[in-house]
Amino acid sequence: MTQLTPAEGKAALASSVTVGNAGASAALVTPLPVNDCTGDEDGSWYATRTMQCQIYPNVKYTYRDSDGKELGTALFATAQQLDLATNSLQWTETDQITMLSSTGTLPSNLGVSWTTNCSATCTPKSTKPWVQTSIRDGQNLKTTYTLRDAPSTVYDYIDLDYQLSIGAPEAIDLLPPITWGGAEVRCDNKLSSLDKAGCVVPWYTPTLRISRAQYGSSADMIEWAQNNLSGHWGLRGTGQPLHRLQSSSQQDSNRRAICGATKFTPDPAIQNDSCDEFPFAGTYESGALNGVDHGKDCAQVTAVRAGTTNDLALDWPTVTTVGTVSGSEKCVRGHIPRSLNTDLGGAYGVFIKDVLLADDDPFWIRVTF
């Protein structure tokens, strides 16, 4: 939230609303409003791909007489949560305001007014959950309403901003209402995925989780590359995110460069051997888009057999390097049993649909057990 500068002048009865450190939160009897941001009540926006929330605990209202003497104060907390869906062009917002405590004398008809403004193709453009709605010490006001995006042939980036005023009709405001923003939604109509129209939080970077138990040596190859090659592709905290490449023709070109029929010779010692590459052909980090025109110039690895259980992930769980690896290679290419390779690629395809990953959208990869 943004704190505003006081206006000049006095009134017979005056009030002001400010945001900042009110200093008494730890001793409050009235609990803060609750949503998915509970535990992070610092006024910052937090998000998943389909949720965005914040809790702000320090909104202070001050009531004064004609000489500017403070008559009373009240401390408020606000909370917001947007719940989106990747298969819907509408979403809900739940807003709350709680009067946590008060001191001295306050107007008997103290009320709250809140306006939500929605930009671009969003409707309704303006929502007013509360208009001079009465509030008292210890009370929580809470409302949920629906917003929607009109179907579009482009990605719609929607900004939401908010205005809050607290006061009484007889008290002239010394400060304008407080205003803030920071909530953003992106909606698309079957652009990220041919069978989905929906909305996401665009600034949240999702994580693709790859299970060793399911993908064996194909997953191990990714983790090996993340830890041993200088690109550290998709490794959060060390490398940079990967970015989806949506063009199917460019993906095919990338595969041919790294794994083309004339560039890869299957190893008969590997069960149903296939050419596996990382970064994926379906990302902008593909070696083929970064100066590699033959898979022999990638780091080379091969799956290692560990058993004969007929569970490929158990039988071929890890990889080992082939030849010399400098660590500066722009990709890794592996001899991996075909089902492990293709199943992991399918997981990436499902992930794209699940989180509506648009062209050039970033994402992390985490290999799990």
Side-chain angles (χ1 to χ4, degrees):
M1 294 186 182
T2 303
Q3 185 168 356
L4 303 175
T5 304
E8 295 294 329
K10 293 183 179 180
L13 291 170
S15 62
S16 61
V17 183
T18 58
V19 296
N21 184 7
S25 298
L28 295 175
V29 175
T30 301
L32 294 171
V34 173
N35 63 18
D36 284 356
C37 275
T38 295
D40 291 300
E41 297 92 347
D42 58 6
S44 298
W45 285 102
Y46 294 89
T48 66
R49 193 64 168 175
T50 55
M51 185 281 299
Q52 190 169 358
C53 65
Q54 73 165 348
I55 298 175
Y56 196 91
N58 290 316
V59 179
K60 187 177 181 181
Y61 169 81
T62 304
Y63 189 51
R64 302 179 185 277
D65 67 13
S66 58
D67 295 320
K69 179 182 177 182
E70 183 178 294
L71 299 176
T73 66
L75 181 65
F76 295 83
T78 63
Q80 298 167 259
Q81 182 161 323
L82 287 71
D83 289 297
L84 316 174
T86 58
N87 61 354
S88 176
L89 290 168
Q90 70 177 33
W91 65 96
T92 61
E93 176 160 345
T94 299
D95 297 328
Q96 301 179 67
I97 183 166
T98 301
M99 186 169 171
L100 299 170
S101 62
S102 63
T103 64
T105 300
L106 296 174
S108 60
N109 54 353
L110 188 65
V112 170
S113 296
W114 177 304
T115 301
T116 298
N117 296 307
C118 199
S119 70
T121 54
C122 171
T123 56
K125 295 294 185 187
S126 180
T127 302
K128 296 182 180 295
W130 303 291
V131 179
Q132 199 54 38
T133 301
S134 177
I135 191 167
R136 63 183 183 277
D137 206 349
Q139 184 178 7
N140 171 261
L141 301 179
K142 181 177 181 179
T143 188
T144 298
Y145 48 95
T146 299
L147 300 163
R148 58 187 56 84
D149 181 41
S152 175
T153 57
V154 298
Y155 290 96
D156 296 331
Y157 287 86
I158 298 162
D159 294 311
L160 294 103
D161 61 78
Y162 305 92
Q163 178 176 298
L164 172 65
S165 61
I166 303 169
E170 70 272 17
I172 297 175
D173 293 334
L174 291 178
L175 291 175
I178 58 173
T179 60
W180 68 99
E184 186 179 15
V185 172
R186 187 187 74 199
C187 297
D188 72 86
N189 189 0
K190 300 184 180 180
L191 297 177
S192 300
S193 171
L194 292 177
D195 57 2
K196 272 191 173 182
C199 302
V200 297
V201 179
W203 55 265
Y204 177 81
T205 301
T207 298
L208 170 59
R209 289 173 170 79
I210 299 297
S211 166
R212 285 178 168 276
Q214 191 167 0
Y215 305 111
S217 52
S218 189
D220 189 57
M221 186 183 81
I222 290 174
E223 188 169 52
W224 177 88
Q226 287 183 322
N227 291 327
N228 292 282
L229 298 182
S230 58
H232 305 295
W233 306 283
L235 183 60
R236 189 168 189 170
T238 303
Q240 297 298 313
L242 291 160
H243 296 80
R244 181 196 177 189
L245 169 65
Q246 191 163 7
S247 168
S248 57
S249 61
Q250 185 62 63
Q251 291 178 35
D252 290 341
S253 178
N254 293 347
R255 289 189 188 95
R256 287 193 298 270
I258 306 300
C259 288
T262 63
K263 298 181 179 182
F264 177 81
T265 302
D267 182 350
I270 305 298
Q271 184 175 342
N272 197 18
D273 189 21
S274 71
C275 180
D276 200 358
E277 65 180 289
F278 183 75
F280 304 142
T283 66
Y284 281 95
E285 289 70 27
S286 167
L289 290 177
N290 291 279
V292 179
D293 60 9
H294 195 299
K296 66 180 176 59
D297 295 322
C298 300
Q300 306 295 310
V301 300
T302 187
V304 177
R305 187 158 204 160
T308 56
T309 68
N310 292 322
D311 181 329
L312 281 177
L314 287 176
D315 292 344
W316 300 89
T318 60
V319 297
T320 188
T321 57
V322 177
T324 301
V325 175
S326 70
S328 61
E329 290 86 356
K330 296 180 180 179
C331 47
V332 60
R333 186 176 72 170
H335 291 267
I336 305 294
R338 184 172 302 279
S339 291
L340 298 178
N341 181 359
T342 57
D343 287 354
L344 194 151
Y348 177 41
V350 170
F351 172 73
I352 287 170
K353 293 181 179 182
D354 284 347
V355 301
L356 286 186
L357 211 63
D359 186 61
D360 205 32
D361 265 2
F363 65 98
W364 303 105
I365 293 187
R366 181 181 177 187
V367 176
T368 64
F369 288 99

